[in-house]
Amino acid sequence: MGKQRVVIIGGSSGMGLATAKLMHKNGHEVIIASRSQKKLEQAKKEIGEIQIHVLDLRVEKEISQFFSKIGPFDHLVTPGADFYMGPFIQGKTEDAKKYFDGKFWGQYCAAKQGAPHIRKGGSITFFSGAANEKPLQNFTTGCAINAAVEGLGRALALELSPIRVNTISPGVIDSPLWDTFPPLDRSAFFEQAAEKLPAKRIGHTEDIAKAVQFLIECGFATGSVVHVDGGYPLV
């Protein structure tokens, strides 16, 4: 497919960083953005010749300025998101709204502001999550957001055509999203999750990067939700 310009918002850690590394390895021009200058600089050290930009996905004005600055590109990938769990009744509505701001409205605004700059044959890859298929206790907000993101992806596959729009739905992935768990609790959770899954292991960020690569390269994939979850909804 030749050298492409790939923009990854949330590309300085976790699934986004793994995707940036794979895209760079494949010979593409990689542009990553995130809120943390420190993480961006570290990512550049790990990857090599890439562009880095500080960007808060919750601020649409910043998103608009970012796309105007970088100019035309081919593929937009949006793995960056906040994380929030808590009981529905006792949880604070403002915390749920912040989660929506980061994961749903952030991806919504990235697509809205980015689409006019995407060249012919380009694509957008959103991120939802397996909890949409099989809800988790105390994760009502996340389940709702994941469903909303997948609905957005299907609708935009029609409205933004011929830009292709797809969504990746990750399961339990060993990534920095789980850093808030105490190390021992996290290890126990991963072991229990792996035992239940048909794949008999949890996911790695590289698994997600490979799914992104597929959606970027497959010109006949649009309006799709690609489940990379080890079979989580089946158990």
Side-chain angles (χ1 to χ4, degrees), residues 9 33-36 53-64 66 82 101-102 106 109:
I9 300 180
S34 79
R35 294 198 297 262
S36 172
H53 298 266
V54 175
L55 172 66
D56 189 339
L57 200 57
R58 299 167 297 184
V59 183
E60 188 170 9
K61 184 178 180 180
E62 285 191 24
I63 299 171
S64 176
F66 165 72
D82 297 320
D101 283 343
C109 291

Side-chain angles (χ1 to χ4, degrees), residues 35 58 81-84 92-106 141 145:
R35 294 198 297 262
R58 299 167 297 184
D82 297 320
F83 188 77
Y84 165 76
K92 295 181 179 179
T93 303
E94 52 264 38
D95 289 337
K97 288 181 177 180
K98 288 179 183 178
Y99 189 11
F100 258 97
D101 283 343
K103 187 165 186 179
F104 176 78
W105 288 113
T141 302
I145 293 171

Side-chain angles (χ1 to χ4, degrees), residues 11-13 17 32 34 36-44 176:
S12 63
S13 64
L17 179 59
I32 66 173
S34 79
S36 172
Q37 179 72 41
K38 183 178 179 180
K39 289 182 179 179
L40 286 166
E41 291 174 353
Q42 179 60 39
K44 187 168 185 176

